[in-house]
């Protein structure tokens, strides 16, 4: 074991074959987990089952259980991936992304859920959620394409920014 005290440094390229921990803030583990921030991935101690997770931020994915299904997750932000949208704590998630302070999935056991935005709450497995309930406009540049259906809950305007009907077309 190498213990550095005071103002010491390690120069040059080094290869570590075991877990590398820097204080309680940064940890690179044997199961390819990366933890940066106090209490990030703090429940994952035996890194043989919860693998390939990246948690950056104070209490980012802190309650994630040591389970083979908890793999390939990315969580960036204070309390990101801590709770679920239904009020529970997040213990099981797979192949999901949480970006933003206090971002959370809809429920436990989700797969492929992407949640982006401050205090944004996801909508379940195989969904992408951009923003929280305070977002008033979402701008997408370029062509928007879909190979599925498109559901609109408000009015749609073509050639107008303020349609009065479900579908309003202005122009020729």
């Amino acid at each position: 074991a190498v213990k550095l005290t005071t103002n010491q440094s390690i120069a040059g390229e080094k290869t570590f074959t075991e877990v590398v921990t820097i204080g309680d803030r940064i940890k690179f583990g044997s199961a390819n987990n990366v933890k940066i921030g106090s209490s990030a991935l703090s429940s994952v101690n035996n890194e043989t089952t919860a693998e390939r997770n990246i948690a950056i931020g104070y209490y980012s994915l802190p309650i994630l259980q040591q389970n083979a299904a908890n793999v390939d997750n990315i969580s960036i932000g204070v309390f990101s991936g801590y709770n679920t949208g239904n009020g529970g704590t997040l213990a099981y998630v797979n192949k999901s992304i949480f970006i933003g302070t206090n971002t959370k999935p809809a429920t436990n056991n989700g797969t492929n859920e992407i949640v982006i935005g401050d205090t944004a709450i996801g909508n379940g497995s195989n969904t992408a959620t951009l923003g929280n309930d305070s977002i008033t406009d979402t701008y997408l540049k370029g062509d928007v394409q879909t190979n599925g259906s498109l559901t609109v809950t408000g009015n749609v305007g073509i050639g107008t920014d303020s349609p009065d009907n479900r579908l309003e077309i202005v122009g020729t």
Side-chain angles (χ1 to χ4, degrees):
V2 175
K3 185 172 186 175
L4 300 178
T5 58
T6 65
N7 291 328
Q8 298 176 6
S9 63
I10 300 174
E13 182 178 322
K14 304 294 185 236
T15 301
F16 297 92
T17 56
E18 298 295 325
V19 174
V20 176
T21 302
I22 303 171
D24 68 345
R25 304 286 193 262
I26 302 174
K27 184 172 185 176
F28 303 96
S30 59
N32 299 312
N33 287 316
V34 176
K35 311 171 185 186
I36 301 176
S38 181
S39 297
L41 269 176
S42 57
S43 289
V44 179
N45 296 320
N46 175 1
E47 299 182 8
T48 58
T49 54
E51 301 179 314
R52 300 180 309 272
N53 295 291
I54 299 171
I56 301 173
Y58 179 72
Y59 277 91
S60 178
L61 287 176
I63 313 297
L64 199 64
Q65 298 300 303
Q66 297 175 164
N67 183 293
N70 287 332
V71 298
D72 301 324
N73 297 296
I74 299 171
S75 184
I76 301 172
V78 174
F79 291 107
S80 58
Y82 187 174
N83 292 311
T84 62
N86 63 4
T89 54
L90 178 62
Y92 304 101
V93 66
N94 187 37
K95 298 178 183 346
S96 295
I97 300 171
F98 308 102
I99 300 175
T101 299
N102 204 26
T103 50
K104 39 185 108 167
T107 63
N108 262 311
N109 297 313
T111 298
N112 192 32
E113 187 169 359
I114 300 170
V115 184
I116 301 173
D118 178 57
T119 65
I121 299 173
N123 288 286
S125 293
N126 302 310
T127 65
T129 302
L130 300 175
N132 59 33
D133 291 343
S134 298
I135 298 295
T136 60
D137 297 300
T138 302
Y139 295 89
L140 302 173
K141 301 293 184 174
D143 295 336
V144 177
Q145 300 177 19
T146 179
N147 62 359
S149 62
L150 177 65
T151 303
V152 178
T153 57
N155 294 338
V156 175
I158 299 174
T160 178
D161 290 336
S162 53
D164 294 321
N165 302 302
R166 287 286 284 153
L167 175 61
E168 186 170 331
I169 302 172
V170 175
T172 57

